Amino acid sequence: MRSVSVLLIALLALTAVGCADRSDEPPDDRIINLERNSEFDGATLRIFVTLEDGAEASVNSDDDVIGSTEEATPLPGHRARAFAFLRDREAGTSLAYGLLSWDPVNPEDYLVFGWWAEFPGQHPPVLSLADSLQYAIVDGPELDHGLQPDLPVEGTASYVGQAGGLYSYVPGGDPGDNAENLVIEEYEGMLTLTADFRDRTVRGCIGCEGDLVTRRAHFGVILGPGLGDAPDAAGDYELHLATSIIREDGTFERERVTVEHPTRVVTRSEGFWGGAFSNRPDTDGNPRLVAGFSNVSYTESDGSEGAFFGSFLGLSAAFGETRESGPPSSGEIGSGGN
């Protein structure tokens, strides 16, 4: 089980690794290619991912829900509901969490935010994270970058929102002596991002404002009961998301995430992050939201190892304040624009 901390794999329901700057970013060599992986008709939500063998796995809110609760929506004017999905198939088991936020008047205006764990060849009640794949889920029509977003050419914009996913931690020392101390939990924290549209860059942090916290929320079916009185191992960590170039289609990615802690010495951080800006503007003309994923593993000076894997969603300051936004961009990729 110790290997879990370095086996968390992020795939934003597509494929994701990072790049350092514009110079090593050939148009045909990008690693993140946003594709739709959800459908919502106002009543039924379906989420689907393409697995490593090319097969499609899917879950839907009619047949595969094992838990559902009404939630506070991150989007003004929307309603929201959280779903936990479990689907047992011959090829294996799919376990997913999705927060669906939608406009009840116009259900085509929706967003899905969450994550997915795929267990090839495994079936309940025995599911091992060590032999699974994890996918970040961030999807919706306004993140469909078949439409060219109308990005500003000047100014900056701040984005604030939520981040969450899976967290693992193994204390330092001999693995045989510490296996029983392995922590596998869900984490939540505040996202803060700053976009500079003149420089076409974005950078941010998860946990720099507020604290990262561990909370057994959605994956109890495989993680077991909560930690109870155990220490909140995720507390006080900060995930610094290094400056990334914003492409003309509104996507970005960077192979650098740094873990920091006020009292622990982090000697190694390896990770990547990426995402996309909305093709709908706020009242200031900036994208009204940004969504994506982050994945980082780290080592501390005493040999302890940890990892954070998950997705994030942030709203622009203007959208959060005015609750108003413009229509989606109508320009198709390759038809001109910025």
Side-chain angles (χ1 to χ4, degrees):
M1 291 289 288
R2 180 180 172 85
S3 62
V4 171
S5 63
V6 294
L7 282 176
L8 298 180
I9 302 171
L11 294 176
L12 186 57
L14 26 127
T15 311
V17 179
C19 62
D21 54 41
R22 191 187 300 270
S23 63
D24 61 5
E25 189 183 299
D28 297 329
D29 197 31
R30 68 176 59 192
I31 301 171
I32 177 173
N33 295 296
L34 287 177
E35 299 174 351
R36 296 302 306 280
N37 71 315
S38 68
E39 298 173 348
F40 180 61
D41 60 7
T44 301
L45 171 66
R46 188 173 83 95
I47 302 174
F48 46 93
V49 297
T50 302
L51 304 177
E52 289 187 327
D53 61 1
E56 180 185 282
S58 69
V59 294
N60 69 78
S61 58
D62 288 337
D63 305 314
D64 307 310
V65 173
I66 57 174
S68 176
T69 58
E70 188 171 348
E71 298 285 347
T73 176
L75 295 178
H78 276 210
R79 296 177 57 190
R81 192 160 195 88
F83 296 94
F85 302 93
L86 178 68
R87 185 174 185 182
D88 186 9
R89 334 181 296 287
E90 181 178 353
T93 300
S94 300
L95 184 67
Y97 162 75
L99 176 65
L100 170 66
S101 179
W102 79 99
D103 182 343
V105 177
N106 176 25
E108 292 184 359
D109 176 11
Y110 79 89
L111 190 73
V112 179
F113 167 83
W115 52 93
W116 180 299
E118 185 68 22
F119 301 86
Q122 300 184 55
H123 305 278
V126 180
L127 298 174
S128 170
L129 272 175
D131 300 311
S132 69
L133 300 174
Q134 289 82 43
Y135 299 76
I137 302 293
V138 179
D139 191 38
E142 67 186 278
L143 298 176
D144 181 354
H145 287 273
L147 297 177
Q148 182 85 39
D150 187 15
L151 296 175
V153 296
E154 298 284 345
T156 63
S158 297
Y159 294 82
V160 177
Q162 62 193 78
L166 295 176
Y167 166 70
S168 68
Y169 186 82
V170 182
D174 183 81
D177 295 336
N178 291 282
E180 69 276 9
N181 297 322
L182 169 69
V183 172
I184 305 178
E185 260 293 349
E186 297 175 63
Y187 76 91
E188 296 177 350
M190 181 180 291
L191 167 79
T192 52
L193 289 181
T194 300
D196 186 323
F197 293 109
R198 179 183 179 87
D199 293 340
R200 284 291 177 89
T201 60
V202 60
R203 59 184 173 83
C205 184
I206 297 172
C208 287
E209 295 187 16
D211 293 326
L212 288 184
V213 297
T214 51
R215 181 172 74 93
R216 186 60 48 83
H218 312 293
F219 278 3
V221 66
I222 56 170
L223 300 182
L227 294 176
D229 296 331
D232 187 355
D236 295 332
Y237 281 103
E238 297 176 355
L239 312 183
H240 292 261
L241 312 174
T243 299
S244 176
I245 296 295
I246 304 171
R247 300 188 181 99
E248 291 186 355
D249 67 356
T251 64
F252 54 89
E253 58 189 42
R254 179 75 191 271
E255 194 174 355
R256 186 177 180 186
V257 178
T258 304
V259 178
E260 297 185 7
H261 192 280
T263 61
R264 298 172 182 169
V265 179
V266 178
T267 58
R268 177 195 64 87
S269 297
E270 294 182 4
F272 54 89
W273 76 293
F277 285 92
S278 170
N279 59 34
R280 294 192 63 176
D282 61 21
T283 53
D284 290 340
N286 300 315
R288 73 173 188 170
L289 63 82
V290 60
F293 64 92
S294 64
N295 181 28
V296 61
S297 62
Y298 64 96
T299 303
E300 296 174 338
S301 58
D302 65 355
S304 300
E305 297 180 1
F308 291 91
F309 155 73
S311 48
F312 61 77
L313 171 68
L315 306 185
S316 72
F319 184 36
E321 292 172 3
T322 68
R323 305 173 66 88
E324 297 179 357
S325 56
S329 167
S330 59
E332 297 183 359
I333 295 296
S335 64
N338 299 6

